[in-house]
């Protein structure tokens, strides 16, 4: 069966990581290299462990479905790509960086609040 993955420290992504399927990834921090990519696919859940926020400081996060428990912050040097699928954020989306829409646009991101910093 599938087991949840819990990372007590920070997940450092130097390449590409895909979170897809019915699994939960819980982590304290998320650090992507400038060329790092995190793909959040359908039915996957990303959950912060010790705070209420997932912060993406560099690289690209592709929202291809799934759910983020808490808030999501895309910092100035990072990119949020809206891919296919419906991605839901339980709290706020803080977009201080860049946003990119796949073409043709077939997905969506929903959050309780959106701050365009």
């Amino acid at each position: 069966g599938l087991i949840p993955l819990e990372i007590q420290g920070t997940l450092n992504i130097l390449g590409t990581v895909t979170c897809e399927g019915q699994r939960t990834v819980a982590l304290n921090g998320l650090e992507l290299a400038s060329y790092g990519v995190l793909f959040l696919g359908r039915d996957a859940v990303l959950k912060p462990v010790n705070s209420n926020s997932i912060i993406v400081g560099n690289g690209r996060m592709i929202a291809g479905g799934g759910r983020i428990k808490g808030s999501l912050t895309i910092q100035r040097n990072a990119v949020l790509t809206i891919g296919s699928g419906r991605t839901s954020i339980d709290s706020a989306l803080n977009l201080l960086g860049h946003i990119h829409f796949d073409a043709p646009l077939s997905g969506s991101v929903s959050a309780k609040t959106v701050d365009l910093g």
Side-chain angles (χ1 to χ4, degrees):
L2 299 174
I3 60 169
L5 173 64
E6 182 167 328
I7 299 167
Q8 291 297 322
T10 298
L11 177 63
N12 296 305
I13 299 176
L14 302 177
T16 301
V17 171
T18 299
C19 300
E20 198 164 18
Q22 296 178 350
R23 62 187 64 194
T24 297
V25 178
L27 41 83
N28 275 330
L30 177 63
E31 187 62 42
L32 282 76
S34 58
Y35 50 85
V37 177
L38 173 68
F39 176 79
L40 182 66
R42 192 176 55 189
D43 298 329
V45 176
L46 209 60
K47 177 176 96 170
V49 174
N50 291 333
S51 69
N52 192 31
S53 183
I54 302 274
I55 297 173
V56 181
N58 288 304
R60 177 183 304 267
M61 179 175 179
I62 301 173
R67 178 178 173 201
I68 296 172
K69 291 187 174 185
S71 64
L72 174 66
T73 299
I74 304 294
Q75 292 185 335
R76 186 167 29 140
N77 294 328
V79 178
L80 173 65
T81 298
I82 310 299
S84 61
R86 297 177 52 139
T87 302
S88 65
I89 302 169
D90 288 357
S91 189
L93 169 60
N94 303 306
L95 187 61
L96 308 172
H98 309 278
I99 190 166
H100 177 264
F101 298 95
D102 273 354
L105 181 62
S106 60
S108 65
V109 171
S110 63
K112 285 193 176 180
T113 60
V114 176
D115 179 11
L116 299 177

